Amino acid sequence: MSPDFDVQECVRRVSGGDLVAAGELVEHLHPLVRRWVRNHLPRRESEEDLVQEVFLKLLQKVGSYQERAGVPFEHWVSRLAVRTCLDALRAERSRPEWRMADLGDGEREWLDYLMHRQAGVPEERDVEAKAIVTRLMERLSAPDRLVLTLLDLEERSTLEIAQMTGWSRPMVKMRAMRARRKLREVAVQLKLNPG
Amino acid sequence: MNDDFDQRWSAAASSARRVREEMDELPFGFATRVLARFEAAPMEPWVEMMAAFGLRAVVTSAVLFLGCAALMVWQMEGVLLVPDLIEVPLVTEVFLP
């Protein structure tokens, strides 16, 4: 992403029907949109297809975008991306069934830690932590998964999440609390399901 | 117990955040594909929705109009615009006392 790129000017040109500007906007925003989509990607969805879907919606709706002082265009795009991913997550019909036998050693260590069977945090196991976190979250409903991804993995504030999702802030906090409780149940079930 | 789980979950999430994913380059022809899809899309979804609802609205209005017209005709049949009771006395009493 070039720091000299004038997003607002480009958006104005796109709104006026300039397809060259539309191409430039897609290229400029691609890394951001791709990262957001990757964080919220449903299991069976192709990443590129969903990124394309986000850009398609962006180009169709950019005419309704209203520039506001101090609010970057990227906020509007992130809301659009998150909502598109949420719709895709909701369309996911089945959730995967995991067994202990499917887990690697590092993932088992993390699961033991989460279930209080190991006192200390597993060291130098970031990749395995990511794997077990993803695995557990895949068993959650779309809104629960979304709220934990935004709050715990992307470290967004409840205010930001409220703006992105259209939920109220108390609802964001409530959903996060319930989602973590469900996550614990998922971890317990996984432990009880040795395979 | 739940608080403890939350703390341990936070530690796992924090560790997961440290994993840096490599972002691939923009796929070749990506922007062109997006623009082609955009140009191929005939209308925005809301325009299509309005068009669909608009058609239904026309049909519904036509049905309502015909229904109202039928009701009016049915009601008109019971109302005599020039009642016989007025004309008959006038004729008999005024001209033939």
Side-chain angles (χ1 to χ4, degrees):
Chain A
M1 281 173 50
S2 164
D4 301 330
F5 188 81
D6 188 344
V7 180
Q8 297 294 352
E9 174 55 28
C10 189
V11 169
R12 276 190 284 273
R13 282 166 56 206
V14 175
S15 300
D18 185 340
L19 285 180
V20 176
E24 288 170 7
L25 190 65
V26 169
E27 286 177 18
H28 174 74
L29 293 172
H30 181 265
L32 270 182
V33 172
R34 187 160 193 160
R35 199 180 72 214
W36 290 325
V37 166
R38 190 168 285 179
N39 284 347
H40 304 282
L41 188 69
R43 279 178 314 123
R44 291 194 180 125
E45 194 86 28
S46 149
E47 185 176 291
E48 188 178 321
D49 285 353
L50 204 52
V51 174
Q52 269 195 34
E53 199 63 39
V54 173
F55 278 115
L56 197 61
K57 283 188 183 176
L58 185 150
L59 295 177
Q60 286 173 337
K61 294 180 177 185
V62 76
S64 65
Y65 165 73
Q66 289 182 328
E67 191 178 338
R68 281 190 294 171
V71 182
F73 178 67
E74 285 80 355
H75 278 212
W76 184 79
V77 182
S78 74
R79 206 158 54 231
L80 191 75
V82 163
R83 287 185 181 173
T84 306
C85 291
L86 185 58
D87 288 344
L89 284 168
R90 282 193 173 125
E92 212 173 27
R93 291 184 182 277
S94 62
R95 294 177 203 157
E97 288 288 341
W98 302 115
R99 293 169 183 279
M100 280 297 283
D102 298 323
L103 305 185
D105 290 343
E107 288 177 274
R108 283 184 201 192
E109 267 186 49
W110 273 108
L111 190 62
D112 282 341
Y113 171 71
L114 285 171
M115 301 313 298
H116 315 95
R117 296 189 185 186
Q118 181 174 321
V121 179
E123 288 178 9
E124 296 180 9
R125 294 274 194 183
D126 292 346
V127 175
E128 287 83 356
K130 173 101 179 166
I132 194 72
V133 162
T134 308
R135 220 182 257 277
L136 292 175
M137 291 215 304
E138 278 178 353
R139 296 284 302 140
L140 298 178
S141 67
D144 288 347
R145 187 175 157 184
L146 180 78
V147 76
L148 288 189
T149 304
L150 292 170
L151 201 62
D152 294 339
L153 297 183
E154 294 184 11
E155 291 185 294
R156 290 179 188 267
S157 68
T158 50
L159 180 63
E160 272 182 290
I161 299 172
Q163 285 170 345
M164 277 180 172
T165 56
W167 303 332
S168 65
R169 284 181 79 184
M171 184 184 271
V172 170
K173 289 177 189 171
M174 181 65 78
R175 272 193 192 279
M177 198 179 76
R178 284 185 190 161
R180 289 197 193 105
R181 200 183 303 153
K182 282 182 196 162
L183 205 63
R184 186 173 173 277
E185 290 167 13
V186 170
V188 170
Q189 280 174 2
L190 189 58
K191 264 300 201 192
L192 296 175
N193 197 359
Chain B
M1 188 77 170
N2 265 344
D3 285 348
D4 197 20
F5 176 83
D6 286 359
Q7 281 176 6
R8 285 168 184 254
W9 166 252
S10 293
S14 165
S15 191
R17 278 198 303 271
R18 283 196 289 270
V19 179
R20 290 268 160 239
E21 290 200 19
E22 286 178 20
M23 296 309 292
D24 307 328
E25 292 290 311
L26 182 75
F28 181 74
F30 179 82
T32 311
R33 286 196 290 283
V34 171
L35 292 180
R37 277 185 69 186
F38 172 61
E39 286 189 297
M43 285 187 267
E44 288 184 17
W46 69 269
V47 177
E48 286 176 340
M49 200 167 69
M50 283 298 289
F53 283 145
L55 189 64
R56 283 179 195 175
V58 168
V59 173
T60 310
S61 307
V63 169
L64 281 174
F65 174 77
L66 289 173
C68 288
L71 187 67
M72 276 190 67
V73 168
W74 178 71
Q75 282 185 329
M76 292 284 281
E77 280 177 359
V79 177
L80 296 171
L81 292 176
V82 187
D84 292 340
L85 290 172
I86 298 173
E87 285 182 8
V88 172
L90 271 177
V91 172
T92 54
E93 287 176 23
V94 175
F95 299 105
L96 297 171

